[in-house]
Each structure stands twice: as structure tokens, then as C-alpha cells.
Amino acid sequence: MIGKTIFAKLFISFALTVLVAGLVTGLILFSFSHRSIQGARESFHEQRNADMARAITSVGKAAYGIYENKDSEEFARYLHGINTSMMTELFLLVDGKSYPEGKVLPTDLNHVINSSLELGKLQLTEMNRLLFVASPLVSHDGNPYLIAGIHRIPPPPAPWQKGPPRDKKLPFHPFPGLDILIYTSVFLLIIGFVCYWLAHSFSLPIQKLRTTSRQIASGDLSARVATVKGQNQGELADLARDFNHMANRLEKLVEYQKRLLVDISHELRSPLARISLALELARQKGAENNSLMLDKVEKEVSRLNELIGRLLSLPSSKQGLENIEKTYFDLAVLVKEVVDDVSFEVEGTGKQVTIAGHLPEINFYGSREMIRQAVENILRNGVYYTAQGTSVEVSLCLQKSEENGLQKAVILVRDFGPGIPEEDLLLVFEPFYRVSVARERLQNDSGVGIGLAISNQVVQQHDGEISLMNADDGKGLIARIILPLPITYQ
């Protein structure tokens, strides 16, 4: 089970990485240090042998001085003292004889002596922890002689020995490897702590994400990933923020769906309630008033049919243009048709629809019926809210994009109504959204609250954008539809 958790995987990964890296680093350092120590040891060895050779030469000169004084006992005591104190056996070769007399020179020493005499200078060699030295010299009287010596090199101390050798009667360590065990344990504890902290710091945000996702899956849409103080940077922190953003969007979508169902049920109940009331009144008032009541029923049925039709067109408007017929058409002709149709409908209501300026000929490629519906919805919305005695102004022009220099068509619809609060300018494109939810709807409100949503979807499907803004003078609303033109038009 422990191998399946992300914490265990991270911990084991970090631990193995640190151990392998430490092992490789230790091997590399050991290799370099071994070479360096070996070189230093060889250099020290050579220097030590050279110093010892010079020391043997010096004591040999002193021995020759004693030998010249013909004091054999003093000469023997001196050689014995050198042998004891310096662990060196000293010889003098004078006039073809070796002193002290009676001792046979070792073969290895004879080789060094012959080499020294042949080259005429100091010679030395080391074999089996013995240093053989031979140096030819000349006395003050001009008599040649040779100093030879055999120095016994002591063995190196054991690895666990510290300080002087054991013959100094220091306390004996019963467990020479205990220090290494302690150092290794401390090292592993430090590695374990560091790896635990790293694994915990990496796995904690992921565990929080997992816990929060389970809360959301269980129905708690308000659950969010709590950000830890000081952890505001890095990919995991970005992932937590993106997850919270996704959760916010999900919660809003669910709330929107609930609100949409409430609004749809309200919109459907209202005409059905009026139809029921009209039928009841028709039964009560008699046949002479049936015509008026039936007209009322017909009007409400027509309104209900329109609402259902628009509800069906809303999801289909989100599916894209793959299965919709697309053609080239003139936007100016389309705008003129929409303006004429709406002008005919508002005739005699005290409101007008006018075209501001000249409508340039603009060839656009897309769904003509869908673009017509989008423009018509915007225009009807403006006509509905514009004040009595005012005129809704419609204009069409060409603009060049500042980003890529491509041409785009811009349709402006300006009304002179109450406008929209700034915080609601984007929300009005949601189906059934009302600027004031708590406001009672007017009895003559014929809107169903999805016209702007359909227009927004249609324009987005044509890679365009639609926006609303309040007029600078505070009188009315300006709707802007931007449609990018095909490459062939550029």
C-alpha cells in the first residue's frame, strides 16, 4: 500500500537519488583524493629517503673522523649508537676494506656501492622496507673513501591507530568501526529528514487537490483548495489556482442551470396561466365574448410557441456552423431589410428606426439567416427600451484591426432608453437574465430574455464579438457587433 501513495513514491525517489548521488560523488572524490594522496605519499617518500640519505652521509663523515683518529673502541660505540638511534647500519669503505671489519656487505648494498663508484655521486634505493645508501667522498687530506648504510624503514601505523603507536600503552579501542557506524547513521538520518520534508512539501498540495475534488464530487461545490502561506509560486500553486478557478466556474454553471430552470418554468407558466384564465372567463361570460377571449388565447399560444422555438434555437446556436448553409451576402442589404421590417412593426407606436449615414457594400461569408436573427434581436431590444418619441439609430461601417490590419465590419445600434448598469453589461447575454431580478415584469413585457443570448452565440460562431456600452451622454445604450471579413475581401 505504501508504494502506491505519491508521498511514498516521492520519498523513495528522493532518497534513492540522494544516496546514488552521494555514492557517485564519494567515489569520484575518493578517486581524486586517492590519486592526490598517492602522489603526495610518493613525493613524501622520495623526500624522506633523500633526507635520510643526507643524514647517513653526515653521520658517515663523523664516523670517518673517528676512524682517522685510530680509536677503534670509540668507532665501534659510535656505529652501535647510530644503529640503535637511527635504525641504520653504517659502513666505511677505505682503501678497499670495509669497516667494521668482519661484516659481509649485503648483495643489494654492493650493487648500490658499485653504482655510486661508477657515477661518482650519492646513490640510494629502497627494497623490502630497507633503504640502501652509498656516497663516495674525499677527506681533507685528499684520501677517497665511501660511506654506505642500510636504514630500516618502520611500518606505517594501522588505519584505526591515532597518535603514537600502541606500545605507548594508550587505551585500546574495542570497536574500531563504531565511529564509522555513528557517522553513517547520522548521515542517513539527515537524508531521511530532508527527503521526508521534500516529499511532504510536494505531495501536500496534491493531497489537498484530491480532498477538494472529492468534496466537489460529493456535492459540495463551495469546496476550494486552501493556499498555504508562502506557497504562492510554482507549478503546483498555479495548478491549485486553476483548480479553484475551475471550481468557481463549475459552481456558477450549476447555479446558472438551476436559475435557468426556474426562469424557464416561470416563462412557461405565465402564458399558460393567462390561457387558463382566458378560457375560464370565456366559459363565464358566454358565447358573445368568446371571440375576444379566443383572441387572447391565440396570442398567448403564439407567445408560448415563440418561447419554445427560441429555447430550441438556443442550444442549436452553440453547435457551430458545420451543418449550416454558408454563402456570400451583402451586409448592407441585410441591415436594410431588418430596419425596414422593424420600422413597419413600430409604426404608430411613437418610436422609429433610422439608418445613420451611408451603408457601404460589404460582402460577408456566413449564415445569412443567423446573422439576420442576431441583428434583428439587437434592434428589437433597442426598440423595446428606447423612450417614446425617440429613434433607434443603426449604422454600418468598415474598420481595420490594429492587431493584424485585417478589415472587419462593425454594426452599431444606438437607442435612447434607460441604459444598463455597468456591472450587468456582460451578464445580459446570459439566457433569461434580467437587469433587476427582483423587479416585477410589466404586463406588456413581450420579451422572453434570450434574444441577446442567441445574438451573442451567433456572432461568436462567426468569429466575431458583440458588446454593449452606455452612451457617453448617459442617454441610451450602444450595441456593437464586430464581424471579421473573409481573407478574399482584404
Side-chain angles (χ1 to χ4, degrees):
M1 181 64 182
I2 186 172
K4 296 182 180 181
T5 64
I6 189 170
F7 175 82
K9 292 179 180 179
L10 288 173
F11 181 82
I12 295 173
S13 300
F14 287 141
L16 291 177
T17 301
V18 173
L19 289 175
V20 171
L23 179 61
V24 173
T25 304
L27 291 175
I28 294 175
L29 292 177
F30 175 78
S31 176
F32 281 105
S33 62
H34 180 71
R35 294 178 184 177
S36 178
I37 293 173
Q38 187 68 21
R41 182 178 297 172
E42 292 177 358
S43 177
F44 170 77
H45 216 60
E46 293 175 358
Q47 186 64 37
R48 182 200 61 184
N49 290 344
D51 292 340
M52 181 56 63
R54 285 192 291 267
I56 291 174
T57 301
S58 298
V59 299
K61 291 179 180 180
Y64 181 76
I66 298 174
Y67 166 78
E68 284 186 326
N69 293 329
K70 308 298 182 179
D71 190 346
S72 58
E73 293 182 0
E74 182 65 26
F75 180 71
R77 284 196 301 269
Y78 182 77
L79 294 182
H80 178 74
I82 295 299
N83 194 355
T84 303
S85 61
M86 294 179 57
M87 293 185 295
T88 301
E89 190 173 2
L90 194 63
F91 300 92
L92 290 179
L93 277 74
V94 183
D95 297 331
K97 295 182 179 181
S98 64
Y99 301 91
E101 296 178 339
K103 285 192 175 182
V104 179
L105 298 179
T107 304
D108 294 331
L109 182 59
N110 280 326
H111 290 315
V112 177
I113 292 173
N114 294 333
S115 176
S116 176
L117 292 174
E118 181 179 353
L119 298 176
K121 62 180 180 179
L122 174 67
Q123 292 295 305
L124 58 92
T125 185
E126 179 183 350
M127 289 183 295
N128 300 324
R129 306 206 63 81
L130 294 176
L131 180 64
F132 299 95
V133 179
S135 177
L137 298 173
V138 179
S139 66
H140 295 290
D141 299 335
N143 298 321
Y145 67 97
L146 186 139
I147 299 173
I150 303 175
H151 174 69
R152 298 182 298 278
I153 301 173
W160 57 83
Q161 285 183 330
K162 298 179 181 179
R166 291 183 186 173
D167 55 5
K168 301 298 181 180
K169 295 185 179 180
L170 293 176
F172 175 69
H173 201 312
F175 303 104
L178 185 59
D179 292 342
I180 298 177
L181 180 61
I182 294 175
Y183 296 152
T184 303
S185 300
V186 172
F187 177 71
L188 292 177
L189 285 175
I190 294 175
I191 289 180
F193 174 78
V194 173
C195 293
Y196 176 85
W197 179 81
L198 289 174
H200 180 73
S201 62
F202 277 104
S203 63
L204 181 60
I206 300 177
Q207 291 176 355
K208 289 182 178 180
L209 281 173
R210 184 181 181 185
T211 302
T212 306
S213 64
R214 287 181 174 180
Q215 292 176 346
I216 293 177
S218 64
D220 184 11
L221 298 181
S222 63
R224 298 294 182 271
V225 180
T227 56
V228 181
K229 186 177 181 182
Q231 292 184 351
N232 57 353
Q233 301 294 333
E235 289 80 359
L236 291 177
D238 294 338
L239 177 61
R241 284 190 290 269
D242 292 341
F243 183 89
N244 288 338
H245 179 69
M246 179 192 69
N248 290 333
R249 291 286 300 165
L250 180 62
E251 186 178 17
K252 289 181 179 179
L253 286 175
V254 173
E255 292 178 355
Y256 166 74
Q257 293 291 340
K258 293 179 180 178
R259 179 179 173 183
L260 181 63
L261 290 175
V262 173
D263 288 341
I264 289 176
S265 63
H266 177 80
E267 294 289 346
L268 292 176
R269 284 195 185 111
S270 296
L272 289 175
R274 288 192 286 268
I275 291 174
S276 300
L277 179 60
L279 291 175
E280 184 66 24
L281 291 176
R283 293 191 186 97
Q284 294 177 2
K285 293 185 178 182
E288 66 276 5
N289 294 321
N290 282 351
S291 177
L292 181 61
M293 292 299 103
L294 291 175
D295 290 341
K296 181 67 174 176
V297 170
E298 182 181 5
K299 179 179 179 181
E300 295 301 333
V301 169
S302 176
R303 186 173 185 273
L304 184 60
N305 184 57
E306 178 186 2
L307 172 60
I308 295 174
R310 292 199 176 187
L311 286 174
L312 293 176
S313 66
L314 181 60
S316 64
S317 66
K318 299 180 181 180
Q319 296 174 359
L321 301 176
E322 290 79 6
N323 300 321
I324 299 177
E325 181 181 359
K326 294 174 284 187
T327 59
Y328 280 97
F329 60 91
D330 190 351
L331 280 177
V333 175
L334 184 143
V335 171
K336 181 67 168 55
E337 291 178 0
V338 174
V339 170
D340 292 342
D341 291 344
V342 179
S343 297
F344 178 78
E345 294 177 5
V346 300
E347 186 177 352
T349 62
K351 301 178 181 180
Q352 294 182 349
V353 180
T354 60
I355 296 177
H358 171 68
L359 297 179
E361 180 180 351
I362 301 176
N363 289 324
F364 184 76
Y365 184 73
S367 173
R368 192 178 193 279
E369 291 303 319
M370 293 180 67
I371 294 295
R372 175 188 173 89
Q373 183 183 21
V375 177
E376 185 175 351
N377 289 341
I378 296 294
L379 185 54
R380 289 182 184 276
N381 187 78
V383 168
Y384 179 80
Y385 286 104
T386 195
Q388 289 289 332
T390 61
S391 177
V392 178
E393 301 175 354
V394 182
S395 63
L396 172 66
C397 65
L398 278 173
Q399 286 185 2
K400 182 174 291 188
S401 175
E402 296 180 357
E403 298 179 357
N404 49 29
L406 299 179
Q407 296 280 358
K408 55 186 179 181
V410 180
I411 303 174
L412 295 178
V413 178
R414 160 73 188 272
D415 66 53
F416 292 87
I420 298 177
E422 295 294 331
E423 62 272 13
D424 293 330
L425 287 176
L426 295 178
L427 299 177
V428 294
F429 291 111
E430 297 181 4
F432 298 107
Y433 184 84
R434 298 285 177 167
V435 174
S436 178
V437 177
R439 183 180 63 186
E440 293 293 335
R441 300 180 180 177
L442 301 176
Q443 293 295 327
N444 60 349
D445 185 355
S446 60
V448 294
I450 59 175
L452 292 181
I454 295 176
S455 297
N456 185 44
Q457 291 293 336
V458 170
V459 172
Q460 288 182 0
Q461 288 173 354
H462 287 80
D463 297 325
E465 57 180 305
I466 185 171
S467 60
L468 300 176
M469 66 180 68
N470 291 304
D472 294 336
D473 56 5
K475 298 179 180 179
L477 189 71
I478 300 175
R480 177 186 287 111
I481 299 175
I482 300 177
L483 297 172
L485 300 181
I487 300 298
T488 56
Y489 189 84
Q490 306 300 326

